[in-house]
Amino acid sequence: MAGQGPDTSYRKPPRDRGCCSINFLKYVLFIFNFIFLLGGCAVLGVAIWTLLEKQPYTVLLRTGLYAAIPFLLLLAGIIVIFAALLACCAILREDRCYLLVYTFLLLLVFLLEAGGGVMAYVYEEQVMDSLSRSLTSTFNGGYMEDPEVTKAVDSMQKEYHCCGAQIFSEWQDSTWMKKNQSLNVTVPDSCCKTPSPYCGVRDHPSNIWYTGCIHQFKDELSRQLLILGAVGCGICLIQIFGMILSCCLYVKLKDVDDNYY
């Protein structure tokens, strides 16, 4: 009509306009979130397995780095489960506040997994030097003095079929030997091929293991660190894609909310 000015109102942009529409981003983010949850469960599983299977041997290491890595991945896995549930709420409700929190959690999980993975690879390069310096003194000084060390040493010698840190004869210089000279034992009973009370009196190769534990322990530790590193560094890359998707959806929702009449 004459006398009326131009219509300066802005209509709400269609939700399905363009290849990056809100609905499209919601579907893709939902699919990503499912993959993200599966990856988090994998990280959680590896961390729990490491803690249950290998954690008892950490008392034989002078550094707490190896013990910290699975705890980092365990924390990351727990956060993933919470973040995945939060993402479902954010997608269904189209809540920008939830999306921001979800993006922050993705970043936190990325840092935890990447940090754990990098620490695993770095420590894997240093593991032999660390074991060479610490394992002999831990065996010789802590056996029968520290209950946790004693349990770990006995378990390791039985599991790996080994005796002593570097070689079986190292037990002759140990604190345990000095306190048990009257028993005429040469090595702990856990060194025997068929462990039984006082079987360590004979150090013949038909009776005890001659190989030191450091070699098999180092190989096992290296394999475990490589698994932790691969899981941490590999799965953390998924979070980058998720952060991009959540940011895009946040911007799209903001444009819609800002363009009412």
Side-chain angles (χ1 to χ4, degrees):
M1 293 178 63
Q4 289 184 340
D7 185 4
T8 58
S9 62
Y10 294 93
R11 295 186 177 275
K12 189 176 180 179
R15 298 172 60 83
D16 293 323
R17 177 180 295 170
C19 62
C20 291
S21 64
I22 289 177
N23 288 339
F24 174 78
L25 288 173
K26 285 173 62 177
Y27 293 142
V28 175
L29 188 57
F30 186 82
I31 294 172
F32 162 80
N33 196 53
F34 179 72
I35 298 173
F36 173 59
L37 180 60
L38 291 180
C41 289
V43 170
L44 192 61
V46 170
I48 292 174
W49 171 64
T50 302
L51 291 173
L52 292 178
E53 293 293 325
K54 305 303 176 185
Q55 196 69 9
Y57 293 150
T58 58
V59 297
L60 303 178
L61 304 173
R62 292 293 178 86
T63 175
L65 185 59
Y66 175 73
I69 295 171
F71 279 111
L72 283 178
L73 296 182
L74 180 67
L75 178 60
I78 294 172
I79 295 175
V80 164
I81 295 175
F82 175 75
L85 295 175
L86 182 66
C88 291
C89 295
I91 294 170
L92 293 175
R93 297 178 57 180
E94 298 184 1
D95 192 305
R96 286 188 292 144
C97 182
Y98 282 3
L99 279 175
L100 280 179
V101 176
Y102 176 63
T103 305
F104 171 76
L105 291 177
L106 285 175
L107 177 60
L108 180 59
V109 171
F110 171 82
L111 294 175
L112 287 173
E113 291 178 349
V118 170
M119 286 168 62
Y121 281 127
V122 170
Y123 186 55
E124 194 274 332
E125 296 293 330
Q126 304 171 351
V127 66
M128 193 60 189
D129 290 339
S130 175
L131 287 179
S132 298
R133 291 194 304 268
S134 66
L135 202 60
T136 298
S137 61
T138 303
F139 267 55
N140 292 354
Y143 190 75
M144 288 301 176
E145 299 294 317
D146 185 325
E148 289 188 351
V149 171
T150 302
K151 183 179 178 180
V153 170
D154 283 337
S155 177
M156 179 179 290
Q157 292 187 146
K158 292 177 182 178
E159 180 182 353
Y160 294 154
H161 295 166
C162 58
C163 186
Q166 304 277 353
I167 191 171
F168 77 98
S169 58
E170 288 179 340
W171 283 114
Q172 301 299 316
D173 301 320
S174 66
T175 302
W176 167 81
M177 176 60 73
K178 294 174 183 177
K179 292 186 176 182
N180 291 275
Q181 289 179 342
S182 60
L183 299 177
N184 295 320
V185 290
T186 56
V187 293
D189 294 339
S190 56
C191 284
C192 298
K193 295 183 177 180
T194 305
S196 61
Y198 303 108
C199 64
V201 295
R202 287 180 62 243
D203 60 0
H204 193 272
S206 63
N207 184 52
I208 69 168
W209 306 106
Y210 270 30
T211 306
C213 294
I214 188 172
H215 310 290
Q216 295 183 66
F217 187 38
K218 182 261 179 184
D219 291 340
E220 182 70 21
L221 203 60
S222 294
R223 283 193 296 269
Q224 186 67 22
L225 288 167
L226 286 174
I227 292 172
L228 292 172
V231 169
C233 291
I235 295 181
C236 77
L237 299 177
I238 299 175
Q239 276 69 269
I240 297 176
F241 185 59
M243 285 186 281
I244 294 173
L245 281 176
S246 61
C247 289
C248 289
L249 182 57
Y250 176 88
V251 171
K252 283 287 184 179
L253 290 174
K254 185 176 184 301
D255 289 342
V256 169
D257 291 342
D258 289 346
N259 283 279
Y260 282 106
Y261 285 91

